[in-house]
Amino acid sequence: MQTTTLSFENLHNHGELFANMLRARRDLFIERNKWDLPEAMGMEYDQYDTPASRWVVVHDDLGQVLAGNRLTPTTARCGIYSYMIRDAQKGLLDTIPSHLLYDEAPVGETVWESSRCFVTQKVPLHLRRPIYFNLVQELARAARSLGATQCLALLNANWPLWNKRVGIDMTAMGPVMEIDGIKNQVISMNFAANLH
């Protein structure tokens, strides 16, 4: 098992890994979860998959994607869009409630967003925990390397059950909300204490 952080600067060094990650996202989010998302050539994408973002991918030696996640700076801008949580709060995304945060969505050089986090259905249940652990650890490493002291994420509201196991300080930033029949909550991952 390997973990790679992709950017538009290094995509060419990793063959089909970026495309395979977008294919895995399509398989899970569009095919399995039935989310109404953009797709092309068998890949899922959205307005946040830009050169400003990074993608953390857990994969095997052959490039088969096991898990993934996207990191987007809160300072990003592309047309009317910035980052998913902020855009939802501003009412730009009709699939996510606008009351997802207690306060105004932060914007700053040291604050990034984590989104599109997934583990593929191909991963057996007994391997999910170590793969998810690797994904979160690499996400933390990548965020810190980008200068992030804080990372926001919209997660399943069961995050208090596992956050201590991954060694990341997490706190709720908004209420528990039901989205597509699943309870979700915006959380903050605090990296300031471990930033080198």
mmCIF file with all atom_site columns, all heavy atoms in Angstrom, residues 75-95:
data_model
loop_
_atom_site.group_PDB
_atom_site.id
_atom_site.type_symbol
_atom_site.label_atom_id
_atom_site.label_alt_id
_atom_site.label_comp_id
_atom_site.label_asym_id
_atom_site.label_entity_id
_atom_site.label_seq_id
_atom_site.pdbx_PDB_ins_code
_atom_site.Cartn_x
_atom_site.Cartn_y
_atom_site.Cartn_z
_atom_site.occupancy
_atom_site.B_iso_or_equiv
_atom_site.pdbx_formal_charge
_atom_site.auth_seq_id
_atom_site.auth_comp_id
_atom_site.auth_asym_id
_atom_site.auth_atom_id
_atom_site.pdbx_PDB_model_num
ATOM 1   N N   . THR A 1 75 ? -8.517  30.081 0.298   1.00 0.00 ? 75 THR A N   1
ATOM 2   C CA  . THR A 1 75 ? -8.302  31.309 -0.465  1.00 0.00 ? 75 THR A CA  1
ATOM 3   C C   . THR A 1 75 ? -8.552  31.107 -1.956  1.00 0.00 ? 75 THR A C   1
ATOM 4   O O   . THR A 1 75 ? -8.446  32.061 -2.734  1.00 0.00 ? 75 THR A O   1
ATOM 5   C CB  . THR A 1 75 ? -6.860  31.815 -0.262  1.00 0.00 ? 75 THR A CB  1
ATOM 6   O OG1 . THR A 1 75 ? -5.955  30.760 -0.621  1.00 0.00 ? 75 THR A OG1 1
ATOM 7   C CG2 . THR A 1 75 ? -6.619  32.244 1.176   1.00 0.00 ? 75 THR A CG2 1
ATOM 8   N N   . ALA A 1 76 ? -8.893  29.886 -2.371  1.00 0.00 ? 76 ALA A N   1
ATOM 9   C CA  . ALA A 1 76 ? -9.087  29.580 -3.795  1.00 0.00 ? 76 ALA A CA  1
ATOM 10  C C   . ALA A 1 76 ? -10.290 30.342 -4.354  1.00 0.00 ? 76 ALA A C   1
ATOM 11  O O   . ALA A 1 76 ? -11.280 30.567 -3.657  1.00 0.00 ? 76 ALA A O   1
ATOM 12  C CB  . ALA A 1 76 ? -9.285  28.080 -3.998  1.00 0.00 ? 76 ALA A CB  1
ATOM 13  N N   . ARG A 1 77 ? -10.209 30.708 -5.624  1.00 0.00 ? 77 ARG A N   1
ATOM 14  C CA  . ARG A 1 77 ? -11.321 31.336 -6.324  1.00 0.00 ? 77 ARG A CA  1
ATOM 15  C C   . ARG A 1 77 ? -11.346 30.811 -7.748  1.00 0.00 ? 77 ARG A C   1
ATOM 16  O O   . ARG A 1 77 ? -10.319 30.736 -8.407  1.00 0.00 ? 77 ARG A O   1
ATOM 17  C CB  . ARG A 1 77 ? -11.167 32.869 -6.391  1.00 0.00 ? 77 ARG A CB  1
ATOM 18  C CG  . ARG A 1 77 ? -11.189 33.573 -5.060  1.00 0.00 ? 77 ARG A CG  1
ATOM 19  C CD  . ARG A 1 77 ? -12.594 33.572 -4.457  1.00 0.00 ? 77 ARG A CD  1
ATOM 20  N NE  . ARG A 1 77 ? -12.599 34.173 -3.141  1.00 0.00 ? 77 ARG A NE  1
ATOM 21  C CZ  . ARG A 1 77 ? -12.357 33.513 -2.014  1.00 0.00 ? 77 ARG A CZ  1
ATOM 22  N NH1 . ARG A 1 77 ? -12.071 32.236 -2.041  1.00 0.00 ? 77 ARG A NH1 1
ATOM 23  N NH2 . ARG A 1 77 ? -12.388 34.115 -0.855  1.00 0.00 ? 77 ARG A NH2 1
ATOM 24  N N   . CYS A 1 78 ? -12.545 30.456 -8.212  1.00 0.00 ? 78 CYS A N   1
ATOM 25  C CA  . CYS A 1 78 ? -12.733 30.041 -9.604  1.00 0.00 ? 78 CYS A CA  1
ATOM 26  C C   . CYS A 1 78 ? -14.134 30.503 -9.993  1.00 0.00 ? 78 CYS A C   1
ATOM 27  O O   . CYS A 1 78 ? -15.126 29.873 -9.598  1.00 0.00 ? 78 CYS A O   1
ATOM 28  C CB  . CYS A 1 78 ? -12.585 28.526 -9.749  1.00 0.00 ? 78 CYS A CB  1
ATOM 29  S SG  . CYS A 1 78 ? -12.682 27.957 -11.464 1.00 0.00 ? 78 CYS A SG  1
ATOM 30  N N   . GLY A 1 79 ? -14.232 31.610 -10.704 1.00 0.00 ? 79 GLY A N   1
ATOM 31  C CA  . GLY A 1 79 ? -15.537 32.189 -11.002 1.00 0.00 ? 79 GLY A CA  1
ATOM 32  C C   . GLY A 1 79 ? -16.227 32.606 -9.718  1.00 0.00 ? 79 GLY A C   1
ATOM 33  O O   . GLY A 1 79 ? -15.648 33.300 -8.876  1.00 0.00 ? 79 GLY A O   1
ATOM 34  N N   . ILE A 1 80 ? -17.452 32.127 -9.499  1.00 0.00 ? 80 ILE A N   1
ATOM 35  C CA  . ILE A 1 80 ? -18.193 32.471 -8.280  1.00 0.00 ? 80 ILE A CA  1
ATOM 36  C C   . ILE A 1 80 ? -17.859 31.548 -7.109  1.00 0.00 ? 80 ILE A C   1
ATOM 37  O O   . ILE A 1 80 ? -18.327 31.756 -6.001  1.00 0.00 ? 80 ILE A O   1
ATOM 38  C CB  . ILE A 1 80 ? -19.720 32.448 -8.528  1.00 0.00 ? 80 ILE A CB  1
ATOM 39  C CG1 . ILE A 1 80 ? -20.204 31.047 -8.899  1.00 0.00 ? 80 ILE A CG1 1
ATOM 40  C CG2 . ILE A 1 80 ? -20.106 33.478 -9.567  1.00 0.00 ? 80 ILE A CG2 1
ATOM 41  C CD1 . ILE A 1 80 ? -21.723 30.897 -8.914  1.00 0.00 ? 80 ILE A CD1 1
ATOM 42  N N   . TYR A 1 81 ? -17.043 30.519 -7.355  1.00 0.00 ? 81 TYR A N   1
ATOM 43  C CA  . TYR A 1 81 ? -16.777 29.499 -6.337  1.00 0.00 ? 81 TYR A CA  1
ATOM 44  C C   . TYR A 1 81 ? -15.475 29.749 -5.584  1.00 0.00 ? 81 TYR A C   1
ATOM 45  O O   . TYR A 1 81 ? -14.519 30.291 -6.124  1.00 0.00 ? 81 TYR A O   1
ATOM 46  C CB  . TYR A 1 81 ? -16.747 28.114 -6.988  1.00 0.00 ? 81 TYR A CB  1
ATOM 47  C CG  . TYR A 1 81 ? -18.051 27.763 -7.640  1.00 0.00 ? 81 TYR A CG  1
ATOM 48  C CD1 . TYR A 1 81 ? -18.197 27.807 -9.023  1.00 0.00 ? 81 TYR A CD1 1
ATOM 49  C CD2 . TYR A 1 81 ? -19.163 27.425 -6.868  1.00 0.00 ? 81 TYR A CD2 1
ATOM 50  C CE1 . TYR A 1 81 ? -19.411 27.508 -9.624  1.00 0.00 ? 81 TYR A CE1 1
ATOM 51  C CE2 . TYR A 1 81 ? -20.377 27.132 -7.455  1.00 0.00 ? 81 TYR A CE2 1
ATOM 52  C CZ  . TYR A 1 81 ? -20.499 27.175 -8.832  1.00 0.00 ? 81 TYR A CZ  1
ATOM 53  O OH  . TYR A 1 81 ? -21.705 26.898 -9.409  1.00 0.00 ? 81 TYR A OH  1
ATOM 54  N N   . SER A 1 82 ? -15.451 29.298 -4.316  1.00 0.00 ? 82 SER A N   1
ATOM 55  C CA  . SER A 1 82 ? -14.242 29.375 -3.498  1.00 0.00 ? 82 SER A CA  1
ATOM 56  C C   . SER A 1 82 ? -13.890 27.974 -3.020  1.00 0.00 ? 82 SER A C   1
ATOM 57  O O   . SER A 1 82 ? -13.112 27.277 -3.642  1.00 0.00 ? 82 SER A O   1
ATOM 58  C CB  . SER A 1 82 ? -14.421 30.350 -2.338  1.00 0.00 ? 82 SER A CB  1
ATOM 59  O OG  . SER A 1 82 ? -15.531 29.979 -1.525  1.00 0.00 ? 82 SER A OG  1
ATOM 60  N N   . TYR A 1 83 ? -14.497 27.534 -1.920  1.00 0.00 ? 83 TYR A N   1
ATOM 61  C CA  . TYR A 1 83 ? -14.353 26.146 -1.482  1.00 0.00 ? 83 TYR A CA  1
ATOM 62  C C   . TYR A 1 83 ? -15.724 25.650 -1.043  1.00 0.00 ? 83 TYR A C   1
ATOM 63  O O   . TYR A 1 83 ? -16.626 26.432 -0.758  1.00 0.00 ? 83 TYR A O   1
ATOM 64  C CB  . TYR A 1 83 ? -13.262 25.985 -0.419  1.00 0.00 ? 83 TYR A CB  1
ATOM 65  C CG  . TYR A 1 83 ? -13.512 26.602 0.939   1.00 0.00 ? 83 TYR A CG  1
ATOM 66  C CD1 . TYR A 1 83 ? -14.041 25.845 1.987   1.00 0.00 ? 83 TYR A CD1 1
ATOM 67  C CD2 . TYR A 1 83 ? -13.192 27.935 1.200   1.00 0.00 ? 83 TYR A CD2 1
ATOM 68  C CE1 . TYR A 1 83 ? -14.240 26.394 3.247   1.00 0.00 ? 83 TYR A CE1 1
ATOM 69  C CE2 . TYR A 1 83 ? -13.394 28.493 2.455   1.00 0.00 ? 83 TYR A CE2 1
ATOM 70  C CZ  . TYR A 1 83 ? -13.915 27.722 3.475   1.00 0.00 ? 83 TYR A CZ  1
ATOM 71  O OH  . TYR A 1 83 ? -14.119 28.266 4.721   1.00 0.00 ? 83 TYR A OH  1
ATOM 72  N N   . MET A 1 84 ? -15.909 24.346 -1.033  1.00 0.00 ? 84 MET A N   1
ATOM 73  C CA  . MET A 1 84 ? -17.231 23.734 -0.920  1.00 0.00 ? 84 MET A CA  1
ATOM 74  C C   . MET A 1 84 ? -18.018 24.186 0.310   1.00 0.00 ? 84 MET A C   1
ATOM 75  O O   . MET A 1 84 ? -19.184 24.569 0.204   1.00 0.00 ? 84 MET A O   1
ATOM 76  C CB  . MET A 1 84 ? -17.101 22.210 -0.941  1.00 0.00 ? 84 MET A CB  1
ATOM 77  C CG  . MET A 1 84 ? -18.423 21.488 -1.074  1.00 0.00 ? 84 MET A CG  1
ATOM 78  S SD  . MET A 1 84 ? -18.224 19.700 -1.015  1.00 0.00 ? 84 MET A SD  1
ATOM 79  C CE  . MET A 1 84 ? -17.769 19.465 0.697   1.00 0.00 ? 84 MET A CE  1
ATOM 80  N N   . ILE A 1 85 ? -17.413 24.142 1.494   1.00 0.00 ? 85 ILE A N   1
ATOM 81  C CA  . ILE A 1 85 ? -18.134 24.485 2.719   1.00 0.00 ? 85 ILE A CA  1
ATOM 82  C C   . ILE A 1 85 ? -18.573 25.958 2.694   1.00 0.00 ? 85 ILE A C   1
ATOM 83  O O   . ILE A 1 85 ? -19.709 26.280 3.021   1.00 0.00 ? 85 ILE A O   1
ATOM 84  C CB  . ILE A 1 85 ? -17.273 24.158 3.965   1.00 0.00 ? 85 ILE A CB  1
ATOM 85  C CG1 . ILE A 1 85 ? -17.148 22.629 4.112   1.00 0.00 ? 85 ILE A CG1 1
ATOM 86  C CG2 . ILE A 1 85 ? -17.850 24.786 5.229   1.00 0.00 ? 85 ILE A CG2 1
ATOM 87  C CD1 . ILE A 1 85 ? -16.138 22.173 5.156   1.00 0.00 ? 85 ILE A CD1 1
ATOM 88  N N   . ARG A 1 86 ? -17.689 26.826 2.270   1.00 0.00 ? 86 ARG A N   1
ATOM 89  C CA  . ARG A 1 86 ? -18.031 28.257 2.200   1.00 0.00 ? 86 ARG A CA  1
ATOM 90  C C   . ARG A 1 86 ? -19.116 28.503 1.157   1.00 0.00 ? 86 ARG A C   1
ATOM 91  O O   . ARG A 1 86 ? -20.057 29.276 1.386   1.00 0.00 ? 86 ARG A O   1
ATOM 92  C CB  . ARG A 1 86 ? -16.778 29.073 1.881   1.00 0.00 ? 86 ARG A CB  1
ATOM 93  C CG  . ARG A 1 86 ? -17.021 30.578 1.871   1.00 0.00 ? 86 ARG A CG  1
ATOM 94  C CD  . ARG A 1 86 ? -15.682 31.322 1.790   1.00 0.00 ? 86 ARG A CD  1
ATOM 95  N NE  . ARG A 1 86 ? -15.880 32.745 1.937   1.00 0.00 ? 86 ARG A NE  1
ATOM 96  C CZ  . ARG A 1 86 ? -15.833 33.605 0.911   1.00 0.00 ? 86 ARG A CZ  1
ATOM 97  N NH1 . ARG A 1 86 ? -15.595 33.178 -0.310  1.00 0.00 ? 86 ARG A NH1 1
ATOM 98  N NH2 . ARG A 1 86 ? -16.019 34.896 1.122   1.00 0.00 ? 86 ARG A NH2 1
ATOM 99  N N   . ASP A 1 87 ? -18.990 27.858 0.002   1.00 0.00 ? 87 ASP A N   1
ATOM 100 C CA  . ASP A 1 87 ? -19.987 28.044 -1.055  1.00 0.00 ? 87 ASP A CA  1
ATOM 101 C C   . ASP A 1 87 ? -21.355 27.528 -0.629  1.00 0.00 ? 87 ASP A C   1
ATOM 102 O O   . ASP A 1 87 ? -22.380 28.123 -0.957  1.00 0.00 ? 87 ASP A O   1
ATOM 103 C CB  . ASP A 1 87 ? -19.525 27.369 -2.341  1.00 0.00 ? 87 ASP A CB  1
ATOM 104 C CG  . ASP A 1 87 ? -18.317 28.062 -2.960  1.00 0.00 ? 87 ASP A CG  1
ATOM 105 O OD1 . ASP A 1 87 ? -18.004 29.209 -2.550  1.00 0.00 ? 87 ASP A OD1 1
ATOM 106 O OD2 . ASP A 1 87 ? -17.682 27.459 -3.840  1.00 0.00 ? 87 ASP A OD2 1
ATOM 107 N N   . ALA A 1 88 ? -21.369 26.421 0.130   1.00 0.00 ? 88 ALA A N   1
ATOM 108 C CA  . ALA A 1 88 ? -22.641 25.912 0.654   1.00 0.00 ? 88 ALA A CA  1
ATOM 109 C C   . ALA A 1 88 ? -23.247 26.933 1.617   1.00 0.00 ? 88 ALA A C   1
ATOM 110 O O   . ALA A 1 88 ? -24.449 27.217 1.563   1.00 0.00 ? 88 ALA A O   1
ATOM 111 C CB  . ALA A 1 88 ? -22.429 24.572 1.360   1.00 0.00 ? 88 ALA A CB  1
ATOM 112 N N   . GLN A 1 89 ? -22.418 27.511 2.488   1.00 0.00 ? 89 GLN A N   1
ATOM 113 C CA  . GLN A 1 89 ? -22.912 28.509 3.431   1.00 0.00 ? 89 GLN A CA  1
ATOM 114 C C   . GLN A 1 89 ? -23.486 29.726 2.699   1.00 0.00 ? 89 GLN A C   1
ATOM 115 O O   . GLN A 1 89 ? -24.463 30.319 3.143   1.00 0.00 ? 89 GLN A O   1
ATOM 116 C CB  . GLN A 1 89 ? -21.788 28.942 4.377   1.00 0.00 ? 89 GLN A CB  1
ATOM 117 C CG  . GLN A 1 89 ? -22.271 29.857 5.495   1.00 0.00 ? 89 GLN A CG  1
ATOM 118 C CD  . GLN A 1 89 ? -21.166 30.269 6.430   1.00 0.00 ? 89 GLN A CD  1
ATOM 119 O OE1 . GLN A 1 89 ? -20.118 30.769 5.991   1.00 0.00 ? 89 GLN A OE1 1
ATOM 120 N NE2 . GLN A 1 89 ? -21.367 30.055 7.725   1.00 0.00 ? 89 GLN A NE2 1
ATOM 121 N N   . LYS A 1 90 ? -22.892 30.079 1.559   1.00 0.00 ? 90 LYS A N   1
ATOM 122 C CA  . LYS A 1 90 ? -23.369 31.224 0.785   1.00 0.00 ? 90 LYS A CA  1
ATOM 123 C C   . LYS A 1 90 ? -24.587 30.883 -0.080  1.00 0.00 ? 90 LYS A C   1
ATOM 124 O O   . LYS A 1 90 ? -25.093 31.734 -0.802  1.00 0.00 ? 90 LYS A O   1
ATOM 125 C CB  . LYS A 1 90 ? -22.236 31.751 -0.102  1.00 0.00 ? 90 LYS A CB  1
ATOM 126 C CG  . LYS A 1 90 ? -21.095 32.343 0.685   1.00 0.00 ? 90 LYS A CG  1
ATOM 127 C CD  . LYS A 1 90 ? -19.994 32.788 -0.239  1.00 0.00 ? 90 LYS A CD  1
ATOM 128 C CE  . LYS A 1 90 ? -19.650 34.204 0.145   1.00 0.00 ? 90 LYS A CE  1
ATOM 129 N NZ  . LYS A 1 90 ? -19.225 35.022 -0.934  1.00 0.00 ? 90 LYS A NZ  1
ATOM 130 N N   . GLY A 1 91 ? -25.039 29.621 -0.022  1.00 0.00 ? 91 GLY A N   1
ATOM 131 C CA  . GLY A 1 91 ? -26.215 29.216 -0.783  1.00 0.00 ? 91 GLY A CA  1
ATOM 132 C C   . GLY A 1 91 ? -25.944 28.884 -2.240  1.00 0.00 ? 91 GLY A C   1
ATOM 133 O O   . GLY A 1 91 ? -26.872 28.794 -3.045  1.00 0.00 ? 91 GLY A O   1
ATOM 134 N N   . LEU A 1 92 ? -24.688 28.661 -2.597  1.00 0.00 ? 92 LEU A N   1
ATOM 135 C CA  . LEU A 1 92 ? -24.329 28.352 -3.983  1.00 0.00 ? 92 LEU A CA  1
ATOM 136 C C   . LEU A 1 92 ? -24.474 26.875 -4.338  1.00 0.00 ? 92 LEU A C   1
ATOM 137 O O   . LEU A 1 92 ? -24.436 26.513 -5.502  1.00 0.00 ? 92 LEU A O   1
ATOM 138 C CB  . LEU A 1 92 ? -22.885 28.799 -4.267  1.00 0.00 ? 92 LEU A CB  1
ATOM 139 C CG  . LEU A 1 92 ? -22.606 30.302 -4.154  1.00 0.00 ? 92 LEU A CG  1
ATOM 140 C CD1 . LEU A 1 92 ? -21.124 30.577 -4.325  1.00 0.00 ? 92 LEU A CD1 1
ATOM 141 C CD2 . LEU A 1 92 ? -23.431 31.071 -5.179  1.00 0.00 ? 92 LEU A CD2 1
ATOM 142 N N   . LEU A 1 93 ? -24.616 26.004 -3.320  1.00 0.00 ? 93 LEU A N   1
ATOM 143 C CA  . LEU A 1 93 ? -24.716 24.566 -3.552  1.00 0.00 ? 93 LEU A CA  1
ATOM 144 C C   . LEU A 1 93 ? -26.043 24.079 -2.994  1.00 0.00 ? 93 LEU A C   1
ATOM 145 O O   . LEU A 1 93 ? -26.226 24.027 -1.782  1.00 0.00 ? 93 LEU A O   1
ATOM 146 C CB  . LEU A 1 93 ? -23.550 23.831 -2.889  1.00 0.00 ? 93 LEU A CB  1
ATOM 147 C CG  . LEU A 1 93 ? -22.141 24.309 -3.263  1.00 0.00 ? 93 LEU A CG  1
ATOM 148 C CD1 . LEU A 1 93 ? -21.097 23.553 -2.469  1.00 0.00 ? 93 LEU A CD1 1
ATOM 149 C CD2 . LEU A 1 93 ? -21.902 24.185 -4.755  1.00 0.00 ? 93 LEU A CD2 1
ATOM 150 N N   . ASP A 1 94 ? -26.953 23.698 -3.856  1.00 0.00 ? 94 ASP A N   1
ATOM 151 C CA  . ASP A 1 94 ? -28.288 23.328 -3.382  1.00 0.00 ? 94 ASP A CA  1
ATOM 152 C C   . ASP A 1 94 ? -28.360 21.953 -2.728  1.00 0.00 ? 94 ASP A C   1
ATOM 153 O O   . ASP A 1 94 ? -29.375 21.603 -2.148  1.00 0.00 ? 94 ASP A O   1
ATOM 154 C CB  . ASP A 1 94 ? -29.309 23.447 -4.508  1.00 0.00 ? 94 ASP A CB  1
ATOM 155 C CG  . ASP A 1 94 ? -28.983 22.588 -5.720  1.00 0.00 ? 94 ASP A CG  1
ATOM 156 O OD1 . ASP A 1 94 ? -27.972 21.845 -5.678  1.00 0.00 ? 94 ASP A OD1 1
ATOM 157 O OD2 . ASP A 1 94 ? -29.734 22.651 -6.708  1.00 0.00 ? 94 ASP A OD2 1
ATOM 158 N N   . THR A 1 95 ? -27.283 21.185 -2.763  1.00 0.00 ? 95 THR A N   1
ATOM 159 C CA  . THR A 1 95 ? -27.304 19.854 -2.158  1.00 0.00 ? 95 THR A CA  1
ATOM 160 C C   . THR A 1 95 ? -26.788 19.833 -0.716  1.00 0.00 ? 95 THR A C   1
ATOM 161 O O   . THR A 1 95 ? -26.865 18.810 -0.048  1.00 0.00 ? 95 THR A O   1
ATOM 162 C CB  . THR A 1 95 ? -26.464 18.865 -2.997  1.00 0.00 ? 95 THR A CB  1
ATOM 163 O OG1 . THR A 1 95 ? -25.137 19.382 -3.123  1.00 0.00 ? 95 THR A OG1 1
ATOM 164 C CG2 . THR A 1 95 ? -27.083 18.661 -4.379  1.00 0.00 ? 95 THR A CG2 1
#
